[in-house]
């Protein structure tokens, strides 16, 4: 019975790590009902849409789960030109997006000067701008902020330090934390999050992830299931539907737990969830989420930004995705927000 733990969220009492473990470990759907109520109470019925541009799949890193890792020689690499990025952003604005998200692998072609030019150009439009470019120096983050960027997303991926180092050869957990701290210090709305279902990841560590998000008071958290990719070191040769569903369910529980613990933050219904379950994003929106990030990249680039296999919408156009997601959201009685969707806005 998890009801007594869930009821604690409506009091001033602290919910402990052990109690969060119990919530994640159970298969009681009451968690989702409470998370949905909490979402309604703290952020309301509006869903914020963020138009996502995946502008380069070139990456110097070797994250063992990610299809963009630099050892994947089978992936056709691309980077959009500055003009293409700005053009996609303009179209995003015209479709009605109030936030544009620029995401890429860690691609050194996009130097500080180039990024600053792109940011300034996009910020001439009436949009909030989110960046998701990975680990950069304090000076670079500062330059992007001064150029007009509003938010930054960088998931911690896991707070289990050993697992972090196992998953990210040559990267450092401390560096990751420093990036998050620097972003907050610079006044970004800062988003973090984690992967759920990595090999050797424990429920305890997922509970710690949630508490870590709380301690750091992040403005957004993106939680998604790990989806094994054949061109990565973690690939074991198969991935059964049963395993996929297990990771989907657990990621939904971590997300719902995140809502209950952090209350008024922004939480996306992630694309990875929909990749495993065709109703994934709607289920997530009814279990604590209040944000969706439709893809506004055009053409063959969508297919090539293959972080994980079977990514949704790879043959669709931005206008199609916009209509698709809008009708899904309204079908469950929710509305599309007309504002920028900052935290508490
Ligand atoms: N499965 C699911 N999510 C993944 N990401 C990277 N690789 C995978 C994968 N195989 C997530 C990471 C990263 C975000 C952009 O995509 O959490 O932060
Ligand atoms: Fe792309 Fe539904 S969101 S087709």
């Amino acid at each position: 019975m998890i009801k007594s733990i869930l009821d604690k969220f409506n009091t001033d009492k602290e919910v402990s790590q052990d109690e969060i473990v119990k919530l994640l470990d159970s298969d009681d759907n009451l968690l989702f009902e409470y998370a949905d109520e909490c979402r309604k109470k703290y952020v309301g019925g509006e869903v914020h849409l963020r138009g996502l541009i995946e502008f380069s799949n070139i990456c110097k890193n070797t994250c063992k789960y990610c299809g963009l890792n630099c050892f994947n020689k089978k992936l056709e690499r691309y980077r959009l030109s500055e003009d293409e990025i700005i053009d996609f952003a303009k179209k995003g604005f015209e479709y009605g997006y109030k936030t544009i998200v620029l995401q890429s692998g860690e691609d050194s072609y996009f130097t500080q000067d180039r990024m600053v030019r792109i940011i300034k150009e996009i910020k001439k439009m009436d949009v909030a701008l989110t960046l998701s470019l990975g680990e950069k120096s304090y000076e670079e983050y500062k330059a992007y902020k001064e150029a007009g960027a509003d938010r930054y997303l960088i998931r911690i991926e896991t707070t289990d330090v050993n697992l972090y180092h196992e998953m990210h050869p040559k990267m450092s957990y401390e560096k990751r934390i420093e990036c998050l701290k620097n972003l907050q210090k610079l006044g970004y709305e800062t988003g973090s999050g984690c992967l759920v279902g990595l090999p050797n990841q424990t429920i305890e560590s997922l509970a710690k992830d949630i508490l870590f998000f709380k301690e750091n008071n992040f403005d957004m958290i993106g939680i998604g299931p790990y989806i094994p990719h054949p061109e990565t070191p973690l690939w074991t040769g198969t991935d059964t539907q049963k395993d996929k569903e297990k990771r989907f369910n657990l990621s939904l529980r971590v997300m719902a737990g995140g809502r209950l613990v952090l209350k008024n933050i922004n939480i996306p219904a992630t694309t990875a969830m929909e990749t495993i379950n065709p109703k994934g994003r709607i289920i997530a929106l009814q279990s604590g989420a209040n944000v969706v990030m439709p893809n506004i990249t055009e053409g063959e680039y969508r297919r090539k930004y293959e972080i994980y296999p079977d990514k949704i919408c790879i043959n669709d156009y931005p206008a199609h995705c916009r209509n698709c997601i809008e009708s899904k959201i309204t079908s469950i009685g929710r509305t599309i927000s007309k504002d920028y969707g900052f935290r508490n806005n």
Side-chain angles (χ1 to χ4, degrees):
M1 217 22 206
I2 60 170
K3 187 168 184 308
S4 58
I5 302 174
L6 290 169
D7 282 329
K8 255 181 133 175
F9 284 108
N10 294 324
T11 69
D12 292 337
K13 288 187 205 133
E14 286 274 310
V15 175
S16 70
Q17 186 182 312
D18 284 350
E19 287 171 321
I20 297 174
V21 167
K22 286 204 182 90
L23 293 180
L24 301 182
D25 230 357
S26 135
D27 56 10
D28 193 330
N29 287 341
L30 202 58
L31 168 65
F32 304 128
E33 287 174 32
Y34 272 67
D36 196 40
E37 273 304 310
C38 181
R39 182 272 309 157
K40 212 184 285 173
K41 181 171 166 194
Y42 287 94
V43 294
E46 290 194 333
V47 175
H48 302 289
L49 296 184
R50 326 282 202 200
L52 174 68
I53 304 174
E54 300 162 333
F55 68 89
S56 167
N57 70 352
I58 297 173
C59 192
K60 68 173 166 59
N61 282 335
T62 55
C63 308
K64 280 192 184 165
Y65 46 79
C66 182
L68 307 190
N69 81 77
C70 67
F71 296 121
N72 181 1
K73 299 290 178 230
K74 289 208 179 140
L75 183 67
E76 260 179 73
R77 304 284 171 165
Y78 72 87
R79 56 169 73 99
L80 304 191
S81 68
E82 285 177 43
D83 286 347
E84 275 176 306
I85 298 171
I86 291 156
D87 178 49
F88 288 175
K90 266 194 191 126
K91 288 179 181 158
F93 170 69
E94 283 157 15
Y95 302 131
Y97 289 100
K98 301 297 285 175
T99 292
I100 301 294
V101 184
L102 296 183
Q103 188 176 83
S104 68
E106 292 200 9
D107 180 358
S108 51
Y109 171 84
F110 288 95
T111 55
Q112 181 173 315
D113 286 353
R114 279 205 173 95
M115 280 318 301
V116 164
R117 273 205 301 272
I118 296 166
I119 293 165
K120 283 190 174 156
E121 210 48 49
I122 294 179
K123 283 300 288 186
K124 287 183 186 160
M125 298 172 232
D126 179 21
V127 289
L129 180 60
T130 304
L131 302 177
S132 176
L133 320 173
E135 296 179 6
K136 307 280 170 193
S137 66
Y138 181 85
E139 286 65 37
E140 266 180 283
Y141 287 152
K142 185 161 181 271
Y144 301 160
K145 188 81 184 55
E146 284 167 0
D150 302 282
R151 312 190 183 110
Y152 205 102
L153 305 175
I154 180 163
R155 291 183 177 175
I156 191 69
E157 314 292 3
T158 173
T159 59
D160 175 335
V161 182
N162 291 333
L163 183 61
Y164 185 91
H165 288 128
E166 170 59 33
M167 290 296 122
H168 306 97
K170 287 192 255 169
M171 288 169 73
S172 131
Y173 184 78
E174 290 67 34
K175 173 89 194 295
R176 197 78 168 177
I177 298 281
E178 195 187 313
C179 286
L180 283 161
K181 297 255 182 259
N182 285 343
L183 290 163
Q184 289 185 312
K185 199 158 131 196
L186 287 162
Y188 281 94
E189 273 214 340
T190 304
S192 195
C194 62
L195 278 168
V196 178
L198 289 168
N200 299 322
Q201 189 177 34
T202 62
I203 300 281
E204 284 70 25
S205 89
L206 290 166
K208 283 184 188 157
D209 292 353
I210 295 176
L211 292 172
F212 167 83
F213 302 144
K214 170 81 177 165
E215 272 159 34
N216 288 279
N217 189 26
F218 293 122
D219 305 296
M220 307 169 269
I221 50 167
I223 313 266
Y226 158 57
I227 304 174
H229 188 303
E231 299 304 325
T232 59
L234 289 189
W235 180 246
T236 58
T238 50
D239 184 31
T240 65
Q241 192 55 30
K242 210 173 142 211
D243 287 340
K244 285 193 175 106
E245 278 163 23
K246 243 173 101 178
R247 291 192 306 264
F248 173 82
N249 287 330
L250 188 55
S251 68
L252 204 62
R253 296 191 84 82
V254 176
M255 186 203 77
R259 168 62 70 199
L260 288 168
V261 172
L262 283 103
K263 304 206 182 328
N264 70 349
I265 62 163
N266 284 320
I267 301 185
T270 54
T271 308
M273 287 182 177
E274 187 118 334
T275 298
I276 296 185
N277 183 322
K279 292 202 177 112
R281 287 177 300 179
I282 286 303
I283 296 172
L285 286 172
Q286 295 178 307
S287 311
N290 70 321
V291 171
V292 180
M293 297 166 67
N295 199 329
I296 59 167
T297 322
E298 291 184 25
E300 83 275 20
Y301 305 125
R302 285 184 177 221
R303 177 178 55 76
K304 294 181 184 165
Y305 202 81
E306 198 190 48
I307 297 180
Y308 45 76
D310 306 320
K311 225 177 118 202
I312 56 163
C313 308
I314 52 169
N315 295 314
D316 294 311
Y317 290 94
H320 177 84
C321 288
R322 172 81 197 196
N323 293 334
C324 163
I325 200 65
E326 205 160 320
S327 65
K328 285 181 179 176
I329 290 167
T330 49
S331 79
I332 56 166
R334 302 274 281 279
T335 52
I336 310 281
S337 166
K338 293 192 174 62
D339 68 39
Y340 304 108
F342 286 101
R343 185 180 188 179
N344 277 333
N345 186 359

